[in-house]
Amino acid sequence: MSNGLHFRPTRAEIDTDALRHNATMARKHATHCKLLGVIKANGYGHGAVEVAHAINGSVDAYGVAFIDEALKLRDAGFTQPVVLLEGCFSPAELPVCAHYDLQPVIHQQHQLDAILQARLVKPIAVWLKIDTGMHRLGFAPDEIDAVVAKLDRCPQVASITLMTHFANADVSDHPLNEAQLDRFDEICARTSPALSLSAANTAALLSSALDLGAQESQWCRTGIMLYGVNPTDTAATFSLLPAMKLIAPVMAVRTVASGDAVGYGSTWRATRTSRIATLAIGYADGYPRHAPNGTPVWLNGQRVPLAGRVSMDMITVDVTELAQVAVGDEAELWGPNLAVDEVAAAVQTITYELLTRVSERVPRHYK
Ligand SMILES: *Cc1c(COP(=O)(O)O)cnc(C)c1O
């Protein structure tokens, strides 16, 4: 949130046109499906309320992880359905779901017991999660018929959407994908055909290897593609546009002699007379501390390598190859000129982690 004054120029610029464009692309891919715009974790770091506004016209509902995130959307005036992907943590949340029209996932016996025993002012839509092979959340396939029967008879339940989640949708030829889909299809075929279904996240939607059999009653749950990232192992861009540009200013420039070391632990040592620029961003801002020497940073039209350990508030880069660099120049840590995928690969993590960990002290600027 950009409340209050920010004198330090470090910031995350959020391109709301890119968010809107990506949502349109998601809509295009999910031609016959309904679309759940996943904006948990503060809209993957982009600002949940602002993302919700930007993608408003393209999605049929919003997905968040838990009720606190949903209430932020209700407070901001959004009236669309909101799905709680982790469901409720206590029975006390169910009346809140009924009051605010929130749709919890039911993945555990205690959540099932709570809805069966609740007395709500009006029935709520629920999503029933099936564990088809990821083994993180959900009822086992052989429990589902009994659970559906109970929910069907429950006066607190307005509708049921059967859902599952893939463990390897980002690996197109992973054998578990087909196995999970087969299990899901088999359950869907034998339960009531009136139920809505939801299997796909972004990777499953974009993967040509998975035939999800698009139908009107099906929901695609798209998160990461809204932010401009293709999570699959194919090189295609799917015409997505990066929505976040993370920016930090150069705050100091110095020359170091060959043999001099830079930063904590002296992990980087100059092999020639070198120019070092210090940038005002560090791990307290969400830049990963484990980023190794050589991690690319975009500065004055080219890539420059990280040189030395990431500090709490600063990083240092080797700008010897740059023709020009001055205090106040602005570097891009990731964004349109340096894909967050590339940085994620360099620091051995995933784009999701980099985007969601941009901390609160980095103001978001919307355009
Ligand atoms: C976060 C989440 C998604 C969105 O996944 P993306 O890979 O970002 O598209 C979908 N489904 C569930 C259950 C999730 O938790």
Side-chain angles (χ1 to χ4, degrees):
M1 300 297 108
S2 60
N3 52 334
L5 280 172
H6 294 285
F7 290 104
R8 186 181 68 150
T10 305
R11 65 196 180 275
E13 287 184 357
I14 309 298
D15 183 344
T16 53
D17 286 338
L19 291 167
R20 203 168 290 113
H21 166 88
N22 296 335
T24 310
M25 296 315 291
R27 166 58 78 207
K28 222 178 225 173
H29 276 277
T31 325
H32 300 295
C33 301
K34 282 181 274 188
L35 210 54
L36 186 77
V38 180
I39 55 175
K40 62 193 177 189
N42 196 28
Y44 289 40
H46 296 65
V49 166
E50 289 81 359
V51 175
H53 274 295
I55 67 173
N56 204 358
S58 293
V59 300
D60 301 287
Y62 297 114
V64 297
F66 48 88
I67 199 162
D68 312 57
E69 295 185 328
L71 293 180
K72 291 209 170 94
L73 297 175
R74 289 289 179 258
D75 285 347
F78 290 94
T79 56
Q80 291 87 341
V82 178
V83 178
L84 312 179
L85 293 167
E86 295 186 339
C88 296
F89 289 82
S90 95
E93 292 174 34
L94 287 171
V96 184
C97 289
H99 184 262
Y100 287 101
D101 192 21
L102 310 176
Q103 307 185 2
V105 167
I106 296 180
H107 60 75
Q108 268 288 303
Q109 188 64 40
H110 77 83
Q111 295 173 325
L112 177 64
D113 294 342
I115 185 103
L116 295 177
Q117 287 153 24
R119 292 294 167 263
L120 304 175
V121 289
K122 61 172 190 269
I124 59 174
V126 301
W127 293 50
L128 175 58
K129 191 158 196 176
I130 309 168
D131 179 4
T132 55
M134 182 160 177
H135 303 322
R136 185 180 62 174
L137 292 180
F139 290 89
D142 63 7
E143 299 175 300
I144 290 299
D145 297 46
V147 176
V148 168
K150 283 180 186 157
L151 290 174
D152 246 344
R153 271 186 266 117
C154 176
Q156 331 299 332
V157 173
S159 67
I160 307 168
T161 301
L162 294 178
M163 73 177 288
T164 194
H165 194 56
F166 292 107
N168 298 280
D170 55 335
V171 183
S172 50
D173 60 356
H174 199 289
L176 192 58
N177 293 335
E178 274 305 316
Q180 285 195 263
L181 190 57
D182 287 348
R183 276 172 215 151
F184 188 60
D185 284 347
E186 197 229 321
I187 293 162
C188 295
R190 70 167 192 257
T191 52
S192 161
L195 302 187
S196 297
L197 315 174
S198 181
N201 56 3
T202 295
L205 175 65
L206 295 180
S207 167
S208 47
L210 272 175
D211 178 13
L212 298 163
Q215 44 188 281
E216 303 293 335
S217 60
Q218 194 162 297
W219 284 87
C220 286
R221 309 185 303 268
T222 53
I224 196 75
M225 77 180 292
L226 300 174
Y227 310 100
V229 176
N230 161 24
T232 70
D233 53 6
T234 59
T237 68
F238 299 100
S239 304
L240 300 173
L241 302 173
M244 181 191 289
K245 181 173 170 182
L246 183 62
I247 298 167
V250 173
M251 55 187 291
V253 184
R254 75 197 57 254
T255 301
V256 300
S258 181
D260 283 355
V262 173
Y264 285 121
S266 302
T267 64
W268 185 89
R269 204 169 282 280
T271 55
R272 56 177 174 175
T273 303
S274 302
R275 297 283 286 164
I276 297 293
T278 304
L279 309 182
I281 193 163
Y283 61 79
D285 300 296
Y287 193 83
R289 200 192 81 94
H290 61 279
N293 288 326
T295 301
V297 170
W298 183 263
L299 180 57
N300 292 353
Q302 68 188 72
R303 282 171 168 68
V304 293
L306 192 69
R309 267 193 201 147
V310 172
S311 305
M312 187 184 291
D313 316 304
M314 289 171 269
I315 59 173
T316 38
V317 292
D318 177 2
V319 295
T320 314
E321 299 293 329
L322 276 188
Q324 286 253 297
V325 64
V327 168
D329 288 353
E330 293 194 328
E332 178 179 320
L333 289 313
W334 56 73
N337 296 299
L338 180 62
V340 67
D341 305 80
E342 190 183 334
V343 181
V347 308
Q348 293 184 20
T349 185
I350 54 173
T351 57
Y352 300 71
E353 187 182 17
L354 294 182
L355 294 174
T356 57
R357 288 186 82 175
V358 175
S359 71
E360 231 181 303
R361 84 172 180 175
V362 177
R364 272 63 164 177
H365 290 193
Y366 295 91
K367 62 174 180 95

